[in-house]
Short mmCIF file of all heavy atoms in Angstrom, two decimals:
data_model
loop_
_atom_site.label_atom_id
_atom_site.label_comp_id
_atom_site.label_asym_id
_atom_site.label_seq_id
_atom_site.Cartn_x
_atom_site.Cartn_y
_atom_site.Cartn_z
N MET A 1 0.85 -1.20 0.00
CA MET A 1 0.00 0.00 0.00
C MET A 1 0.89 1.25 0.00
O MET A 1 1.84 1.36 0.75
CB MET A 1 -0.89 -0.01 1.24
CG MET A 1 -1.89 1.14 1.26
SD MET A 1 -2.96 1.01 2.70
CE MET A 1 -3.64 2.67 2.66
N GLU A 2 0.50 2.17 -0.86
CA GLU A 2 1.34 3.36 -1.01
C GLU A 2 0.62 4.60 -0.50
O GLU A 2 -0.50 4.89 -0.89
CB GLU A 2 1.68 3.55 -2.49
CG GLU A 2 3.11 4.02 -2.70
CD GLU A 2 3.45 4.05 -4.18
OE1 GLU A 2 3.39 2.99 -4.82
OE2 GLU A 2 3.75 5.13 -4.67
N ASN A 3 1.26 5.27 0.38
CA ASN A 3 0.68 6.52 0.89
C ASN A 3 1.24 7.70 0.13
O ASN A 3 2.42 7.76 -0.14
CB ASN A 3 1.01 6.69 2.38
CG ASN A 3 0.24 5.71 3.24
OD1 ASN A 3 -0.91 5.41 2.95
ND2 ASN A 3 0.88 5.21 4.28
N LYS A 4 0.36 8.62 -0.18
CA LYS A 4 0.83 9.86 -0.78
C LYS A 4 1.38 10.75 0.32
O LYS A 4 0.70 11.01 1.32
CB LYS A 4 -0.32 10.57 -1.49
CG LYS A 4 -0.58 10.02 -2.87
CD LYS A 4 -1.61 10.87 -3.58
CE LYS A 4 -1.95 10.25 -4.93
NZ LYS A 4 -3.13 10.90 -5.55
N ILE A 5 2.58 11.19 0.12
CA ILE A 5 3.20 12.05 1.11
C ILE A 5 3.20 13.47 0.58
O ILE A 5 3.72 13.73 -0.50
CB ILE A 5 4.64 11.59 1.40
CG1 ILE A 5 4.62 10.14 1.87
CG2 ILE A 5 5.28 12.48 2.45
CD1 ILE A 5 6.00 9.52 1.98
N VAL A 6 2.58 14.37 1.29
CA VAL A 6 2.57 15.76 0.87
C VAL A 6 3.18 16.63 1.95
O VAL A 6 3.04 16.38 3.15
CB VAL A 6 1.15 16.27 0.54
CG1 VAL A 6 0.58 15.58 -0.69
CG2 VAL A 6 0.22 16.12 1.71
N CYS A 7 3.86 17.66 1.50
CA CYS A 7 4.47 18.61 2.42
C CYS A 7 3.38 19.32 3.22
O CYS A 7 2.41 19.81 2.65
CB CYS A 7 5.29 19.62 1.61
SG CYS A 7 5.97 20.94 2.61
N THR A 8 3.56 19.37 4.54
CA THR A 8 2.56 19.99 5.40
C THR A 8 2.46 21.49 5.12
O THR A 8 1.39 22.07 5.25
CB THR A 8 2.93 19.75 6.87
OG1 THR A 8 3.03 18.34 7.09
CG2 THR A 8 1.89 20.31 7.82
N SER A 9 3.56 22.10 4.74
CA SER A 9 3.56 23.54 4.53
C SER A 9 3.00 23.95 3.16
O SER A 9 2.11 24.78 3.08
CB SER A 9 4.98 24.09 4.67
OG SER A 9 5.45 23.89 5.99
N CYS A 10 3.51 23.38 2.09
CA CYS A 10 3.16 23.85 0.75
C CYS A 10 2.29 22.87 -0.02
O CYS A 10 1.89 23.17 -1.13
CB CYS A 10 4.42 24.20 -0.04
SG CYS A 10 5.39 22.75 -0.53
N LYS A 11 2.02 21.71 0.55
CA LYS A 11 1.16 20.69 -0.05
C LYS A 11 1.75 20.07 -1.31
O LYS A 11 1.03 19.43 -2.07
CB LYS A 11 -0.24 21.24 -0.37
CG LYS A 11 -0.90 22.00 0.76
CD LYS A 11 -1.14 21.14 1.97
CE LYS A 11 -1.85 21.94 3.06
NZ LYS A 11 -1.74 21.30 4.36
N ALA A 12 3.00 20.29 -1.53
CA ALA A 12 3.64 19.66 -2.68
C ALA A 12 3.72 18.16 -2.43
O ALA A 12 3.99 17.71 -1.31
CB ALA A 12 5.04 20.23 -2.88
N GLN A 13 3.47 17.41 -3.46
CA GLN A 13 3.55 15.97 -3.32
C GLN A 13 4.99 15.53 -3.43
O GLN A 13 5.71 15.91 -4.35
CB GLN A 13 2.71 15.29 -4.39
CG GLN A 13 2.48 13.82 -4.07
CD GLN A 13 1.48 13.18 -5.02
OE1 GLN A 13 0.47 13.78 -5.35
NE2 GLN A 13 1.78 11.99 -5.46
N LEU A 14 5.42 14.74 -2.48
CA LEU A 14 6.80 14.28 -2.48
C LEU A 14 6.85 12.90 -3.11
O LEU A 14 6.23 11.97 -2.62
CB LEU A 14 7.34 14.23 -1.04
CG LEU A 14 7.21 15.54 -0.25
CD1 LEU A 14 7.75 15.33 1.16
CD2 LEU A 14 7.93 16.67 -0.93
N THR A 15 7.59 12.81 -4.18
CA THR A 15 7.68 11.53 -4.87
C THR A 15 8.82 10.68 -4.33
O THR A 15 8.88 9.49 -4.51
CB THR A 15 7.87 11.73 -6.39
OG1 THR A 15 8.93 12.66 -6.59
CG2 THR A 15 6.60 12.30 -7.00
N ASN A 16 9.74 11.33 -3.67
CA ASN A 16 10.77 10.57 -2.96
C ASN A 16 11.13 11.34 -1.69
O ASN A 16 10.68 12.45 -1.46
CB ASN A 16 11.99 10.32 -3.84
CG ASN A 16 12.63 11.62 -4.29
OD1 ASN A 16 12.98 12.46 -3.47
ND2 ASN A 16 12.77 11.80 -5.57
N ASN A 17 11.95 10.75 -0.87
CA ASN A 17 12.25 11.37 0.42
C ASN A 17 13.50 12.22 0.39
O ASN A 17 13.97 12.67 1.43
CB ASN A 17 12.40 10.29 1.49
CG ASN A 17 11.06 9.66 1.81
OD1 ASN A 17 10.02 10.31 1.71
ND2 ASN A 17 11.07 8.40 2.19
N LYS A 18 14.03 12.43 -0.80
CA LYS A 18 15.29 13.16 -0.87
C LYS A 18 15.14 14.59 -0.36
O LYS A 18 14.35 15.37 -0.90
CB LYS A 18 15.80 13.16 -2.31
CG LYS A 18 17.27 13.47 -2.39
CD LYS A 18 17.75 13.37 -3.83
CE LYS A 18 19.24 13.65 -3.89
NZ LYS A 18 19.69 13.75 -5.28
N GLY A 19 15.87 14.93 0.66
CA GLY A 19 15.86 16.30 1.18
C GLY A 19 14.66 16.64 2.05
O GLY A 19 14.62 17.69 2.63
N SER A 20 13.71 15.73 2.11
CA SER A 20 12.53 16.03 2.91
C SER A 20 12.68 15.40 4.30
O SER A 20 13.53 14.56 4.54
CB SER A 20 11.26 15.50 2.24
OG SER A 20 11.26 14.09 2.23
N THR A 21 11.82 15.84 5.19
CA THR A 21 11.88 15.27 6.53
C THR A 21 10.46 15.09 7.04
O THR A 21 9.54 15.78 6.62
CB THR A 21 12.68 16.19 7.48
OG1 THR A 21 12.82 15.54 8.73
CG2 THR A 21 11.99 17.53 7.69
N LYS A 22 10.29 14.14 7.91
CA LYS A 22 9.00 14.02 8.58
C LYS A 22 9.22 13.64 10.03
O LYS A 22 10.14 12.92 10.38
CB LYS A 22 8.06 13.03 7.87
CG LYS A 22 8.61 11.67 7.63
CD LYS A 22 7.55 10.84 6.91
CE LYS A 22 8.08 9.44 6.59
NZ LYS A 22 7.03 8.58 6.05
N PHE A 23 8.34 14.18 10.83
CA PHE A 23 8.47 13.96 12.27
C PHE A 23 7.11 14.17 12.91
O PHE A 23 6.25 14.85 12.36
CB PHE A 23 9.50 14.92 12.87
CG PHE A 23 9.24 16.37 12.54
CD1 PHE A 23 8.47 17.17 13.38
CD2 PHE A 23 9.75 16.93 11.37
CE1 PHE A 23 8.23 18.50 13.07
CE2 PHE A 23 9.50 18.26 11.05
CZ PHE A 23 8.74 19.05 11.90
N LYS A 24 6.93 13.59 14.06
CA LYS A 24 5.66 13.77 14.77
C LYS A 24 5.59 15.19 15.33
O LYS A 24 6.59 15.77 15.75
CB LYS A 24 5.58 12.76 15.92
CG LYS A 24 5.49 11.33 15.45
CD LYS A 24 4.05 10.94 15.19
CE LYS A 24 3.90 9.42 15.18
NZ LYS A 24 3.63 8.87 13.88
N CYS A 25 4.40 15.72 15.33
CA CYS A 25 4.17 17.05 15.90
C CYS A 25 4.74 17.12 17.31
O CYS A 25 4.46 16.27 18.15
CB CYS A 25 2.66 17.32 15.94
SG CYS A 25 2.23 18.79 16.89
N PRO A 26 5.58 18.12 17.59
CA PRO A 26 6.23 18.19 18.91
C PRO A 26 5.24 18.50 20.03
O PRO A 26 5.54 18.27 21.19
CB PRO A 26 7.25 19.32 18.75
CG PRO A 26 6.92 20.03 17.49
CD PRO A 26 6.03 19.15 16.66
N LYS A 27 4.08 18.99 19.70
CA LYS A 27 3.12 19.31 20.74
C LYS A 27 2.17 18.15 21.05
O LYS A 27 2.10 17.69 22.17
CB LYS A 27 2.32 20.56 20.36
CG LYS A 27 1.46 21.07 21.51
CD LYS A 27 0.73 22.33 21.12
CE LYS A 27 -0.20 22.79 22.25
NZ LYS A 27 -1.09 23.86 21.82
N CYS A 28 1.44 17.70 20.01
CA CYS A 28 0.45 16.65 20.28
C CYS A 28 1.00 15.25 20.03
O CYS A 28 0.45 14.27 20.53
CB CYS A 28 -0.82 16.88 19.45
SG CYS A 28 -0.61 16.66 17.68
N GLY A 29 2.09 15.16 19.26
CA GLY A 29 2.70 13.87 19.02
C GLY A 29 1.85 12.91 18.21
O GLY A 29 2.14 11.73 18.14
N GLN A 30 0.79 13.40 17.60
CA GLN A 30 -0.12 12.51 16.88
C GLN A 30 -0.05 12.69 15.38
O GLN A 30 -0.20 11.72 14.64
CB GLN A 30 -1.55 12.76 17.35
CG GLN A 30 -1.79 12.25 18.76
CD GLN A 30 -3.25 12.39 19.16
OE1 GLN A 30 -4.14 12.10 18.40
NE2 GLN A 30 -3.47 12.85 20.38
N HIS A 31 0.12 13.91 14.95
CA HIS A 31 0.14 14.14 13.52
C HIS A 31 1.57 14.18 13.01
O HIS A 31 2.45 14.76 13.65
CB HIS A 31 -0.58 15.44 13.17
CG HIS A 31 -0.81 15.59 11.70
ND1 HIS A 31 -1.91 15.03 11.07
CD2 HIS A 31 -0.08 16.19 10.74
CE1 HIS A 31 -1.84 15.30 9.78
NE2 HIS A 31 -0.74 16.00 9.54
N GLU A 32 1.77 13.55 11.87
CA GLU A 32 3.10 13.55 11.30
C GLU A 32 3.29 14.76 10.40
O GLU A 32 2.55 14.96 9.44
CB GLU A 32 3.34 12.26 10.52
CG GLU A 32 4.80 12.03 10.24
CD GLU A 32 5.08 10.57 9.93
OE1 GLU A 32 4.59 10.09 8.92
OE2 GLU A 32 5.80 9.93 10.72
N ILE A 33 4.25 15.57 10.72
CA ILE A 33 4.58 16.76 9.95
C ILE A 33 5.56 16.37 8.85
O ILE A 33 6.54 15.69 9.12
CB ILE A 33 5.22 17.84 10.85
CG1 ILE A 33 4.38 18.12 12.10
CG2 ILE A 33 5.52 19.11 10.07
CD1 ILE A 33 3.07 18.79 11.86
N VAL A 34 5.28 16.80 7.65
CA VAL A 34 6.16 16.51 6.52
C VAL A 34 6.64 17.83 5.93
O VAL A 34 5.85 18.76 5.75
CB VAL A 34 5.43 15.70 5.43
CG1 VAL A 34 6.39 15.36 4.29
CG2 VAL A 34 4.84 14.43 6.01
N ARG A 35 7.92 17.90 5.69
CA ARG A 35 8.45 19.13 5.10
C ARG A 35 9.34 18.77 3.91
O ARG A 35 10.21 17.92 4.02
CB ARG A 35 9.27 19.90 6.12
CG ARG A 35 8.50 20.17 7.41
CD ARG A 35 9.19 21.17 8.27
NE ARG A 35 8.95 22.51 7.76
CZ ARG A 35 9.73 23.56 8.00
NH1 ARG A 35 10.80 23.40 8.74
NH2 ARG A 35 9.45 24.74 7.51
N CYS A 36 9.09 19.47 2.80
CA CYS A 36 9.89 19.20 1.62
C CYS A 36 11.22 19.95 1.71
O CYS A 36 11.42 20.79 2.60
CB CYS A 36 9.12 19.58 0.36
SG CYS A 36 8.89 21.35 0.15
N GLU A 37 12.06 19.67 0.77
CA GLU A 37 13.40 20.25 0.82
C GLU A 37 13.36 21.78 0.78
O GLU A 37 14.06 22.46 1.53
CB GLU A 37 14.22 19.71 -0.36
CG GLU A 37 15.67 20.14 -0.30
CD GLU A 37 16.48 19.53 -1.43
OE1 GLU A 37 15.89 19.03 -2.40
OE2 GLU A 37 17.71 19.57 -1.33
N SER A 38 12.53 22.33 -0.11
CA SER A 38 12.53 23.79 -0.25
C SER A 38 11.94 24.45 1.00
O SER A 38 12.40 25.50 1.43
CB SER A 38 11.77 24.22 -1.50
OG SER A 38 10.41 23.94 -1.39
N CYS A 39 10.94 23.84 1.61
CA CYS A 39 10.38 24.41 2.82
C CYS A 39 11.39 24.35 3.98
O CYS A 39 11.42 25.22 4.83
CB CYS A 39 9.09 23.71 3.21
SG CYS A 39 7.70 24.18 2.17
N ARG A 40 12.20 23.34 4.00
CA ARG A 40 13.25 23.27 5.02
C ARG A 40 14.26 24.38 4.81
O ARG A 40 14.68 25.05 5.76
CB ARG A 40 13.96 21.92 4.95
CG ARG A 40 13.13 20.78 5.52
CD ARG A 40 13.90 19.49 5.43
NE ARG A 40 15.07 19.49 6.32
CZ ARG A 40 16.11 18.68 6.20
NH1 ARG A 40 16.15 17.83 5.20
NH2 ARG A 40 17.09 18.72 7.05
N LYS A 41 14.65 24.57 3.55
CA LYS A 41 15.66 25.59 3.26
C LYS A 41 15.15 26.98 3.56
O LYS A 41 15.88 27.84 4.04
CB LYS A 41 16.08 25.49 1.78
CG LYS A 41 17.05 24.37 1.52
CD LYS A 41 17.50 24.36 0.08
CE LYS A 41 18.48 23.22 -0.18
NZ LYS A 41 18.62 22.96 -1.62
N LEU A 42 13.87 27.21 3.24
CA LEU A 42 13.28 28.54 3.43
C LEU A 42 12.72 28.72 4.83
O LEU A 42 12.24 29.78 5.18
CB LEU A 42 12.17 28.76 2.40
CG LEU A 42 12.61 28.74 0.93
CD1 LEU A 42 11.40 28.73 0.02
CD2 LEU A 42 13.49 29.93 0.61
N ALA A 43 12.75 27.65 5.62
CA ALA A 43 12.18 27.67 6.97
C ALA A 43 10.72 28.13 6.95
O ALA A 43 10.28 28.92 7.78
CB ALA A 43 13.02 28.53 7.92
N THR A 44 9.98 27.60 5.98
CA THR A 44 8.56 27.90 5.88
C THR A 44 7.83 27.35 7.10
O THR A 44 8.10 26.24 7.53
CB THR A 44 7.98 27.27 4.60
OG1 THR A 44 8.76 27.68 3.50
CG2 THR A 44 6.53 27.68 4.39
N ARG A 45 6.92 28.13 7.62
CA ARG A 45 6.19 27.67 8.80
C ARG A 45 5.24 26.54 8.44
O ARG A 45 4.67 26.51 7.37
CB ARG A 45 5.39 28.82 9.41
CG ARG A 45 6.24 29.93 9.96
CD ARG A 45 5.42 30.88 10.79
NE ARG A 45 5.20 30.36 12.14
CZ ARG A 45 6.11 30.39 13.10
NH1 ARG A 45 7.29 30.90 12.90
NH2 ARG A 45 5.83 29.91 14.30
N TYR A 46 5.06 25.64 9.38
CA TYR A 46 4.06 24.59 9.22
C TYR A 46 3.06 24.72 10.36
O TYR A 46 3.36 25.30 11.41
CB TYR A 46 4.72 23.21 9.26
CG TYR A 46 5.39 22.89 10.57
CD1 TYR A 46 4.66 22.39 11.64
CD2 TYR A 46 6.76 23.10 10.75
CE1 TYR A 46 5.27 22.11 12.85
CE2 TYR A 46 7.37 22.82 11.95
CZ TYR A 46 6.62 22.32 13.00
OH TYR A 46 7.23 22.05 14.19
N THR A 47 1.89 24.19 10.16
CA THR A 47 0.89 24.17 11.21
C THR A 47 0.32 22.76 11.33
O THR A 47 -0.08 22.17 10.34
CB THR A 47 -0.25 25.16 10.89
OG1 THR A 47 0.30 26.46 10.72
CG2 THR A 47 -1.27 25.20 12.01
N CYS A 48 0.31 22.25 12.54
CA CYS A 48 -0.26 20.93 12.77
C CYS A 48 -1.78 21.02 12.60
O CYS A 48 -2.42 21.84 13.24
CB CYS A 48 0.09 20.45 14.18
SG CYS A 48 -0.74 18.91 14.63
N PRO A 49 -2.37 20.17 11.75
CA PRO A 49 -3.81 20.22 11.55
C PRO A 49 -4.60 19.76 12.77
O PRO A 49 -5.78 20.05 12.90
CB PRO A 49 -4.05 19.25 10.38
CG PRO A 49 -2.72 18.80 9.92
CD PRO A 49 -1.71 19.18 10.94
N LYS A 50 -3.96 19.04 13.65
CA LYS A 50 -4.65 18.53 14.83
C LYS A 50 -4.71 19.55 15.96
O LYS A 50 -5.77 19.83 16.51
CB LYS A 50 -3.98 17.25 15.33
CG LYS A 50 -4.52 16.00 14.70
CD LYS A 50 -4.18 14.80 15.59
CE LYS A 50 -4.52 13.48 14.91
NZ LYS A 50 -5.94 13.32 14.65
N CYS A 51 -3.57 20.10 16.32
CA CYS A 51 -3.53 20.97 17.50
C CYS A 51 -3.16 22.40 17.16
O CYS A 51 -3.10 23.25 18.03
CB CYS A 51 -2.55 20.40 18.54
SG CYS A 51 -0.84 20.49 18.00
N GLU A 52 -2.93 22.66 15.87
CA GLU A 52 -2.60 24.00 15.39
C GLU A 52 -1.29 24.55 15.92
O GLU A 52 -1.05 25.74 15.89
CB GLU A 52 -3.76 24.98 15.66
CG GLU A 52 -5.01 24.54 14.93
CD GLU A 52 -6.13 25.56 14.98
OE1 GLU A 52 -6.14 26.35 15.95
OE2 GLU A 52 -6.96 25.58 14.07
N PHE A 53 -0.45 23.67 16.40
CA PHE A 53 0.90 24.08 16.73
C PHE A 53 1.60 24.47 15.45
O PHE A 53 1.47 23.80 14.43
CB PHE A 53 1.64 22.91 17.40
CG PHE A 53 3.11 23.19 17.63
CD1 PHE A 53 3.52 23.84 18.78
CD2 PHE A 53 4.06 22.77 16.71
CE1 PHE A 53 4.88 24.09 18.99
CE2 PHE A 53 5.42 23.02 16.91
CZ PHE A 53 5.81 23.69 18.06
N SER A 54 2.32 25.58 15.49
CA SER A 54 3.09 25.94 14.30
C SER A 54 4.50 26.29 14.69
O SER A 54 4.76 26.75 15.80
CB SER A 54 2.43 27.10 13.57
OG SER A 54 2.61 28.30 14.28
N GLY A 55 5.42 26.05 13.78
CA GLY A 55 6.79 26.33 14.10
C GLY A 55 7.70 26.04 12.92
O GLY A 55 7.26 25.44 11.94
N PRO A 56 8.89 26.48 13.03
CA PRO A 56 9.88 26.22 11.98
C PRO A 56 10.68 24.96 12.24
O PRO A 56 11.50 24.58 11.40
CB PRO A 56 10.77 27.47 12.05
CG PRO A 56 10.68 27.90 13.48
CD PRO A 56 9.40 27.37 14.05
N ASN A 57 10.52 24.32 13.36
CA ASN A 57 11.35 23.16 13.68
C ASN A 57 10.56 21.85 13.63
O ASN A 57 9.43 21.82 14.02
CB ASN A 57 11.96 23.30 15.07
CG ASN A 57 12.89 24.48 15.13
OD1 ASN A 57 13.77 24.65 14.32
ND2 ASN A 57 12.65 25.35 16.12
ZN1 ZN B 101 7.02 22.26 1.10
ZN1 ZN B 102 -0.07 18.71 16.83
#
C-alpha cells in the first residue's frame, strides 16, 4: 500500500524522500509533519492540523 506524502507547509507531493523530513508534531505527538526540501531551506512555517501548533522546527 502506497501513501501519498505531501508537504505539510506547501502541499507539494513528495515523490521521494530526498531532502525532505517528517516527524511527529512536537506538541500533540499525533500528527506527522512533513516538510519538503525547499520548505526546510526557506524555513517555511508549518501548522499541525490537529492541534494548530506551528513552528519552523
Ligand atoms: Zn514544502
Ligand atoms: Zn499537533
Side-chain angles (χ1 to χ4, degrees):
M1 185 177 165
E2 219 174 299
N3 289 323
K4 278 187 184 169
I5 303 171
V6 293
C7 175
T8 303
S9 297
C10 71
K11 312 297 182 197
Q13 194 172 318
L14 306 178
T15 50
N16 60 55
N17 289 330
K18 199 176 181 188
S20 68
T21 186
K22 54 181 178 173
F23 53 91
K24 294 273 199 250
C25 170
K27 189 178 176 190
C28 68
Q30 289 185 43
H31 191 85
E32 196 160 64
I33 308 292
V34 183
R35 307 193 78 203
C36 70
E37 187 177 15
S38 68
C39 285
R40 286 181 67 199
K41 281 183 180 164
L42 298 170
T44 307
R45 295 192 81 78
Y46 63 83
T47 303
C48 173
K50 271 200 188 297
C51 68
E52 299 189 334
F53 173 86
S54 73
N57 297 309

